Amino acid sequence: MGKLFGTDGIRGVANEGLDIHLAMKIGQAVGLVIGQEKGRAPVVAIGKDTRLSGDMLESAMVAGLCASGADVMVLGVVPTPAVAYITVRSGADAGIVISASHNPFHDNGFKIFNGKGFKLSDELERKVEDLILNEEPMPLMTGDKIGKVLRKNKNWVEKYISHLTNAAKPEVEGLKVFIDCSNGAATRTASDLFDQLKLDLEIIKAHPNGTNINDNCGSTDTAFLSRAVVSGGYDIGIAFDGDADRCIIIDEKGAIVDGDKILGACGLAMHKEGKLRHGTIVATVMSNLGFHKFAKENGLTLLCASVGDRHVLEKMQEGGYNLGGEQSGHVIFLDDATTGDGQLASIEFLNVLATSGKTVSELVADIKDYPQVLVNVPIAGGNAAKEAVMASPKLREALEEEEANLTGRGRVLVRPSGTEPLIRVMVEADEQDLVDSTAEKLARLIENF
């Protein structure tokens, strides 16, 4: 990670560090770096989720981009994967999303895509960072070199919706589906998209007010959705996060179907159809041991990348694989998208469900979960403090001891969050008591640093 960029772009609390001055500088730096790379004035697409601070940061970023000479396509509220798709299809040179994904409304952030719809390379991120952090002012274009806002967007959002609609199989028609839009970016697209699939459809949490994004709803809080699916007799529930680049499924019994199980069900179906490249799924080190066992029993290869969808994507591109994702619900279908897309993932899962003749719970029944716990330990002091804790010999010794205790029974993973001031402790084993005691011991150790 750089000084500004984490595993999923730049994050912070709006107007507490992440303010209009930083947004303008990021706009200027992106315009200059991309312009230098292209050798001309670039075109940049920009979208946002529904956070209260989005308008403020968007205005500042557009000003910075135009000041650097870039022309800007302002897309308004759209899912993150829509920005990536539109960037590629429109021929723009970069795309920027103003969002903090699943975080609460007071947070915000910036994700940046290159002209091919992939997140910026480490090299370009460093160049952007260097310009922002340099004490020297960035050059401002003058005269006819000042950029402008492009007012005609050629119905790009509708084209994105059409692209997703084309991924659905006719068999999904009539499925009884309950969708939670998290009061986020999916509110721009979900109704039009899923209505076209002729589902028996109910959509909730689709009335954003700037402060209710991810508030007791969405992919990180599915309690209400689970109850509603069961009480209403729905076939399936679908929950998106704030920028709709991930989804979580709820089965007909109200149980959560996470990213591991989405990957398992879709991957096996693709494998049987001869569409899973090299018979391989790329997941992360957080993926449950039960998923590993399922993959092995079904002749699938499961590779694990570091946490973060950019790491998953890198491994997919290196090996020529077309399916990957995270337990959290980021799922990348690389034949149809360049980034995680919650709406696309949900449609692909609906395809598998509709053609299987099974219920959701039956479809994922063979993907068992080992007991697993994830503890988030707050760390004050930013990235430097997290790095200091992770480098501690005391923590290393404790980890070695716990790993030895879990030999043959489970595993432990301790890692710094790439987007929040946390160190995450994950423990997985064959018995819940062992999982809980190990996680508590390590979390207490980290808290006392």
Side-chain angles (χ1 to χ4, degrees):
M1 293 185 292
K3 295 177 181 178
L4 291 174
F5 284 91
T7 56
D8 200 19
I10 298 170
R11 292 271 179 93
V13 178
N15 278 346
E16 293 182 19
L18 194 86
D19 57 19
I20 57 173
H21 306 290
L22 179 59
M24 185 175 292
K25 285 184 176 181
I26 293 171
Q28 286 180 268
V30 169
L32 292 170
V33 168
I34 300 298
Q36 184 180 42
E37 182 190 40
K38 298 295 181 181
R40 55 172 171 75
V43 175
V44 180
I46 183 168
K48 61 186 175 184
D49 65 21
T50 59
R51 290 163 209 277
L52 188 63
S53 59
D55 292 346
M56 172 186 74
L57 296 173
E58 176 190 64
S59 298
M61 179 159 280
V62 169
L65 286 163
C66 291
S68 74
D71 290 340
V72 187
M73 296 171 55
V74 179
L75 303 174
V77 171
V78 287
T80 286
V83 175
Y85 174 84
I86 293 167
T87 297
V88 176
R89 290 297 300 270
S90 69
D93 300 299
I96 299 175
V97 184
I98 302 172
S99 172
S101 190
H102 60 283
N103 286 22
F105 88 93
H106 49 68
D107 290 348
N108 218 322
F110 307 100
K111 302 179 184 182
I112 306 172
F113 297 106
N114 64 22
K116 295 181 178 180
F118 300 114
K119 290 179 181 177
L120 286 189
S121 67
D122 292 342
E123 179 185 1
L124 287 182
E125 281 188 356
R126 280 194 294 271
K127 288 182 178 180
V128 170
E129 278 193 351
D130 288 345
L131 283 174
I132 295 168
L133 299 175
N134 194 322
E135 293 183 2
E136 295 295 322
M138 285 178 265
L140 300 176
M141 298 298 111
T142 58
D144 63 0
K145 289 185 169 54
I146 295 173
K148 59 185 176 297
V149 174
L150 304 174
R151 301 295 178 183
K152 296 181 180 180
N153 63 27
K154 298 183 180 180
N155 299 317
W156 285 116
V157 176
E158 288 74 15
K159 292 178 182 180
Y160 167 71
I161 291 172
S162 178
H163 167 68
L164 295 185
T165 303
N166 291 335
K169 293 182 178 180
E171 289 87 348
V172 304
E173 182 177 339
L175 283 174
K176 194 171 183 180
V177 181
F178 203 119
I179 293 178
D180 178 346
C181 287
S182 198
N183 291 315
T187 58
R188 173 77 183 274
T189 54
S191 181
D192 289 344
L193 168 61
F194 290 100
D195 276 343
Q196 292 183 46
L197 305 187
K198 299 179 180 179
L199 306 169
D200 183 352
L201 183 65
E202 179 74 24
I203 296 180
I204 61 168
K205 303 301 179 181
H207 300 285
N209 62 14
T211 63
N212 61 1
I213 185 172
N214 302 318
D215 185 16
N216 297 314
C217 59
S219 63
T220 55
D221 190 342
T222 58
F224 177 83
L225 180 61
S226 292
R227 293 193 298 270
V229 167
V230 174
S231 64
Y234 287 85
D235 296 314
I236 185 173
I238 299 168
F240 301 117
D241 67 336
D243 66 336
D245 67 348
R246 69 171 75 177
C247 76
I248 291 294
I249 301 295
I250 302 298
D251 74 16
E252 78 286 355
K253 299 177 181 179
I256 290 175
V257 176
D258 63 14
D260 281 352
K261 293 183 179 179
I262 296 171
L263 285 168
C266 292
L268 182 58
M270 290 171 64
H271 187 55
K272 289 178 178 178
E273 295 174 1
K275 296 179 179 179
L276 186 68
R277 290 189 209 158
H278 310 297
T280 297
I281 301 170
V282 178
T284 76
V285 291
M286 293 293 289
S287 286
N288 194 279
L289 290 173
F291 183 24
H292 285 261
K293 184 178 179 182
F294 169 82
K296 185 176 181 180
E297 290 174 347
N298 286 278
L300 304 173
T301 299
L302 184 61
L303 301 180
C304 288
S306 299
V307 173
D309 59 339
R310 72 178 297 153
H311 299 304
V312 172
L313 180 60
E314 287 170 0
K315 191 171 282 289
M316 291 173 70
Q317 291 175 308
E318 288 170 4
Y321 311 120
N322 61 344
L323 180 63
E326 298 186 277
Q327 191 182 61
S328 60
H330 284 121
V331 180
I332 304 171
F333 290 88
L334 199 51
D335 292 336
D336 296 302
T338 58
T339 188
D341 189 327
Q343 293 176 116
L344 176 61
S346 65
I347 288 173
E348 294 290 359
F349 191 90
L350 289 175
N351 288 339
V352 177
L353 175 65
T355 56
S356 69
K358 299 178 179 180
T359 64
V360 176
S361 62
E362 291 169 343
L363 188 62
V364 299
D366 291 337
I367 311 174
K368 308 292 185 183
D369 283 330
Y370 273 56
Q372 185 185 82
V373 67
L374 177 64
V375 180
N376 293 319
V377 184
I379 301 294
N383 287 338
K386 289 189 286 187
E387 291 170 4
V389 173
M390 293 302 300
S392 164
K394 186 177 179 181
L395 177 59
R396 186 167 57 249
E397 290 172 6
L399 282 173
E400 290 173 354
E401 180 181 345
E402 298 306 327
E403 287 167 351
N405 292 338
L406 292 174
T407 300
R409 300 185 63 186
R411 63 191 180 117
V412 60
L413 176 67
V414 176
R415 67 177 186 87
S417 168
T419 59
E420 298 176 82
L422 305 169
I423 286 181
R424 306 191 194 278
V425 178
M426 190 278 285
V427 181
E428 195 173 72
D430 52 7
E431 291 184 8
Q432 190 68 55
D433 288 346
L434 180 60
V435 168
D436 292 339
S437 62
T438 303
E440 182 181 355
K441 190 185 304 182
L442 290 170
R444 191 163 53 242
L445 174 67
I446 294 170
E447 286 172 352
N448 291 329
F449 270 93

